[in-house]
Amino acid sequence: MPEHLLIESEGPAYGPGAVRFVTDAAHLARAGDRTSLLLVDNAVFAAVAGASAEIADFTGVGGELLVDAYAVHQRALVPRDLVPEARLVEMDEVATRLLAPDTRVVWH
């Protein structure tokens, strides 16, 4: 089964585009597709506990929430600031997933 890897680089403060992107990821997960959402750059702020109802919906329907560890560190966040479902990842893991033949990638 192919995996969807959606990569978001803007946070909730950047407007409705970022919110819609996370909502789209939740729709894919709700439909039963393997769906991972990777938050990079300022999008890591969406993983802060209580920051995004859409992130809670995404993880609640079985989506996998990945958060760029480097971006978290650069923004002076610590893992305990994030929702429990967030999993910090390094770029080597992301690169492996990006190059997997069964992965469909969308970057926003």
Side-chain angles (χ1 to χ4, degrees):
M1 171 193 288
E3 174 188 1
H4 300 285
L5 175 58
L6 285 77
I7 303 170
E8 176 59 53
S9 60
E10 297 180 341
Y14 288 88
V19 172
R20 280 194 301 269
F21 192 72
V22 175
T23 300
D24 290 343
H27 288 302
L28 290 168
R30 190 175 285 108
D33 293 347
R34 280 185 23 210
T35 307
S36 299
L37 176 64
L38 171 63
L39 303 178
V40 299
D41 297 331
N42 286 326
V44 299
F45 289 115
V48 172
S52 172
E54 292 77 18
I55 292 291
D57 180 47
F58 173 72
T59 58
V61 297
E64 178 185 31
L65 181 61
L66 307 173
V67 183
D68 176 22
Y70 179 78
V72 166
H73 175 74
Q74 289 296 88
R75 284 151 183 85
L77 297 171
V78 292
R80 71 175 175 271
D81 294 333
L82 308 179
V83 296
E85 299 83 5
R87 185 167 69 83
L88 294 177
V89 294
E90 302 291 338
M91 282 299 123
D92 58 339
E93 178 180 343
V94 174
T96 299
R97 292 175 87 156
L98 284 170
L99 297 173
D102 62 341
T103 300
R104 297 175 180 158
V105 179
V106 179
W107 198 307
H108 178 257

